[in-house]
Amino acid sequence: MNLSFDILTAIYNDTKGQTYDFAVLPWGATEPHNYHLPYITDCYLAHGISVDAVIKAYDSQKIKGMVLPPIPLGSQNPGQRELPFCLHGRYETQKGILTDIVASLDCQGIYTLVIVNGHGGNSFKNMIRDLAVDYPHFLIVVSDWFAVLPQAGYFEERDDHAGEMETSVMMHYYPELVNLSLAGDGAYTPFKPETLRDGTGWTPRNWAQVSYDTGIGNPKKSTAEKGKVYAGAVSQKLSELFVDLVKGEIY
């Protein structure tokens, strides 16, 4: 990967004399991901995608961003949080963390923050609305990286959790952390009522009733090449978002 000198100096902590246009906050979770992926898979993936997107935005438009350390506290479902070492981050905890990060950036003169979310259980919209009251000059945007582009056309089987998409992207970024030989098949049991399956109503799934291996989606057809192509397309879209936020008028 070719990095400009300015990006390299940021990576190696030399921020003296540098001006940054925005910050990116990867936000994940600490939870089981079938048997073949690390507990902090959501953090690894959100961070990898964020770094690629920041580099692409700089290379294309010379806007400079800083990727912050990932937050490993995600909101967990019943049946998942009871599993060993799965960590549940309450709404109040997540909002407190985000508020402190915004306050820190604000006093440093950085007024644009993009949350790149890697965990489907996280929801930031109400937090962002609250912070818009307290920091009306500060722009916070959230993007679920896994929902930026549809999986169809990139993967053979749909991934909901620790399936083909997440596993493939992990194999692209961190192949040494993936042991596909340990993976379960990700079979799952959906809700019985059609009204809960079709979105008429919502309630969190009880993971112990849904999946025996904590996966939802078969990872067995995952490849690093699939992950590279998908991550490249997603990071390109995110880089365009960064450029729009820094250089464009949003109203």
Side-chain angles (χ1 to χ4, degrees), residues 23 56 72 74 93 128 165 170 176 185 201 210 223 239 244 249 251:
K56 289 177 179 178
T93 304
I128 293 171
M165 183 268 288
M170 276 294 292
E176 71 279 7
D185 61 13
V210 170
T223 69
S239 75
D244 286 341
E249 294 182 0
Y251 297 107

Side-chain angles (χ1 to χ4, degrees), residues 171-192:
M171 291 171 77
H172 164 55
Y173 284 121
Y174 306 101
E176 71 279 7
L177 299 180
V178 181
N179 189 344
L180 203 53
S181 67
L182 299 177
D185 61 13
Y188 70 99
T189 303
F191 285 119
K192 288 183 178 179

Side-chain angles (χ1 to χ4, degrees), residues 10-244:
I11 290 174
Y12 288 102
N13 301 319
D14 182 6
T15 59
K16 183 178 180 180
Q18 304 289 331
T19 299
Y20 292 88
D21 300 296
F22 65 104
V24 181
L25 178 62
W27 202 306
T30 304
E31 61 176 2
H33 271 72
N34 202 314
Y35 304 125
H36 64 291
L37 295 177
Y39 266 54
I40 57 170
T41 288
D42 293 342
C43 298
Y44 280 126
L45 296 179
H47 184 266
I49 292 284
S50 296
V51 170
D52 277 355
V54 165
I55 292 172
K56 289 177 179 178
Y58 184 84
D59 287 344
S60 68
Q61 297 293 328
K62 296 299 181 284
I63 64 167
K64 193 181 299 180
M66 175 65 81
V67 180
L68 300 172
I71 305 299
L73 293 175
S75 178
Q76 300 296 341
N77 282 24
Q80 181 88 315
R81 71 179 183 87
E82 290 86 356
L83 297 173
F85 310 114
C86 181
L87 303 181
H88 173 60
R90 292 177 178 271
Y91 174 88
E92 297 85 356
T93 304
Q94 291 183 318
K95 184 181 178 184
I97 292 170
L98 181 58
T99 300
D100 286 349
I101 290 171
V102 170
S104 297
L105 294 173
D106 181 67
C107 79
Q108 298 156 15
I110 300 169
Y111 304 122
T112 300
L113 174 66
V114 181
I115 303 168
V116 175
N117 177 43
H119 177 60
N122 291 336
S123 179
F124 298 98
K125 290 182 180 179
N126 285 350
M127 301 178 201
I128 293 171
R129 290 185 177 102
D130 287 346
L131 286 165
V133 174
D134 299 331
Y135 297 88
H137 59 282
F138 199 107
L139 177 63
I140 308 173
V141 175
V142 61
S143 175
D144 296 335
W145 77 263
F146 50 84
V148 168
L149 293 173
Q151 296 181 30
Y154 294 93
F155 305 102
E156 298 176 55
E157 298 191 24
R158 187 180 182 279
D159 182 359
D160 192 323
H161 185 254
E164 187 179 341
M165 183 268 288
E166 281 195 307
T167 302
S168 293
V169 180
M170 276 294 292
M171 291 171 77
H172 164 55
Y173 284 121
Y174 306 101
E176 71 279 7
L177 299 180
V178 181
N179 189 344
L180 203 53
S181 67
L182 299 177
D185 61 13
Y188 70 99
T189 303
F191 285 119
K192 288 183 178 179
E194 183 179 354
T195 48
L196 289 176
R197 296 197 308 270
D198 68 12
T200 301
W202 179 88
T203 191
R205 296 174 289 189
N206 186 315
W207 226 253
Q209 303 297 319
V210 170
S211 171
Y212 78 93
D213 56 20
T214 75
I216 300 181
N218 190 352
K220 297 300 180 70
K221 296 180 180 177
S222 305
T223 69
E225 181 59 28
K226 290 177 182 177
K228 178 180 179 180
V229 172
Y230 190 70
V234 171
S235 60
Q236 177 60 38
K237 287 290 291 182
L238 281 175
S239 75
E240 294 167 8
L241 170 66
F242 299 162
V243 171
D244 286 341

